[in-house]
Amino acid sequence: MNNSDLAQILIRAVEEADSSERLVDAVQELAASGLEESVPTLIAALGYNNPGAAVAAVDGLIAIGEAAVLPLLELIDDYNYGARAWALRALAGIGDVRALDTLFEAAKTDFSLSVRRAAARGLGTLRWHQVPPEKLESVQTEVLEALLLISQDPEWVVRYAAVTSLETLAIVIAATLPDQRSRITNQLQQMLDTDVDLGVRTRVKFAQEKIQQQQHQEVFAPKRKLQETEVDVPHRGGGRR
């Protein structure tokens, strides 16, 4: 049996599932196959109003990776906020920069907090090596501006996700935009001082610790490297003849 035949059998099992439990099992098996042919069916499963099936579908789409990005972007359901949130989770997990505009728009303007949260998280999982070197600084600046805005979202779960992504971005831009990192640390400190939610403040403290650890490593790494490259030069005549 070739992959195409297997995909059709697994897809048919999803389409013919006659109970919630069987649907979850069928989507899990389809997701586990890792076959590109399964992408449209997995995307459809995001809108079945079945969280178990949706979780399995997201995992499958993330595992398939780049091949799922364009179908996800083309098939995102603008009328089903639940499906949209799951699709954003899949795109966030893949981290493909082709989803950047979609993540920006969703994180800033979507009415659903679950969609905004997924999009905010996705801005911290981008695969930066996909960005052309000449565009890297401008794209990272754009992401920074977006996250600073999103970190002021009225919903605590969105702010929490923004903090997670700000932490990641602060570490990423150490080499490309070191002067901009203070904007992140200043925003985190402001959130620590003023955010009304304990969970957000706790996450901020964790982010600050991670960023401080990274800064510590940056300070001492050159010294360690120098020490590792130093060699003892024997005095002339000091060795045996």
Side-chain angles (χ1 to χ4, degrees), residues 160-181:
Y160 188 104
V163 170
T164 302
S165 292
L166 283 170
E167 173 199 319
T168 303
L169 185 62
I171 294 172
V172 168
I173 67 174
T176 54
L177 296 169
D179 295 339
Q180 295 288 338
R181 191 159 57 174

Side-chain angles (χ1 to χ4, degrees), residues 19-49:
S19 70
S20 177
E21 292 77 12
R22 289 182 179 179
L23 177 61
V24 172
D25 291 342
V27 174
Q28 287 176 340
E29 290 187 18
L30 180 61
S33 72
L35 299 172
E36 290 186 20
E37 294 93 328
S38 70
V39 168
T41 303
L42 292 175
I43 293 175
L46 302 178
Y48 286 165
N49 196 28

Side-chain angles (χ1 to χ4, degrees), residues 8-237:
Q8 292 307 310
I9 292 173
L10 295 174
I11 290 170
R12 193 177 306 117
V14 172
E15 295 172 344
E16 296 177 353
D18 57 4
S19 70
S20 177
E21 292 77 12
R22 289 182 179 179
L23 177 61
V24 172
D25 291 342
V27 174
Q28 287 176 340
E29 290 187 18
L30 180 61
S33 72
L35 299 172
E36 290 186 20
E37 294 93 328
S38 70
V39 168
T41 303
L42 292 175
I43 293 175
L46 302 178
Y48 286 165
N49 196 28
N50 184 316
V55 169
V58 167
D59 290 343
L61 291 165
I62 292 174
I64 292 170
E66 294 182 9
V69 173
L70 288 181
L72 274 165
L73 293 174
E74 293 169 356
L75 298 176
I76 285 180
D77 189 340
D78 289 332
Y79 298 98
N80 184 332
Y81 71 87
R84 210 162 59 244
W86 290 116
L88 264 295
R89 287 192 189 186
L91 289 169
I94 296 170
D96 196 292
V97 297
R98 288 174 292 176
L100 190 55
D101 289 342
T102 298
L103 293 173
F104 276 146
E105 182 179 0
K108 293 178 181 179
T109 66
D110 201 283
F111 73 91
S112 168
L113 69 89
S114 59
V115 172
R116 298 200 306 277
R117 175 181 60 182
R121 184 68 187 89
L123 291 174
T125 59
L126 295 170
R127 297 182 179 182
W128 291 109
H129 67 274
Q130 294 179 335
V131 181
E134 67 275 11
K135 295 183 179 180
L136 185 58
E137 290 187 11
S138 63
V139 173
Q140 288 181 338
T141 299
E142 192 175 5
V143 172
L144 171 59
E145 298 292 350
L147 286 172
L148 291 175
L149 176 64
I150 298 162
S151 67
Q152 303 172 52
D153 192 280
E155 298 290 344
W156 76 268
V157 292
V158 181
R159 299 197 304 275
Y160 188 104
V163 170
T164 302
S165 292
L166 283 170
E167 173 199 319
T168 303
L169 185 62
I171 294 172
V172 168
I173 67 174
T176 54
L177 296 169
D179 295 339
Q180 295 288 338
R181 191 159 57 174
S182 62
R183 298 182 64 193
I184 297 177
T185 56
N186 291 341
Q187 178 65 17
L188 291 176
Q189 186 59 48
Q190 181 179 345
M191 294 178 73
L192 182 64
D193 295 337
T194 64
D195 200 284
V196 297
D197 187 85
L198 176 60
V200 173
R201 297 198 304 273
T202 301
R203 187 61 184 83
V204 166
K205 291 181 68 175
F206 180 81
Q208 289 176 322
E209 291 172 0
K210 287 294 183 180
I211 294 170
Q212 289 171 358
Q213 289 175 8
Q214 177 67 20
Q215 292 173 327
H216 180 82
Q217 292 173 2
E218 291 168 10
V219 170
F220 288 96
K223 182 177 180 181
R224 287 198 301 269
K225 186 175 181 180
L226 178 62
Q227 291 173 338
E228 290 169 0
T229 56
E230 288 177 347
V231 294
D232 293 329
V233 180
H235 296 292
R236 181 176 297 177

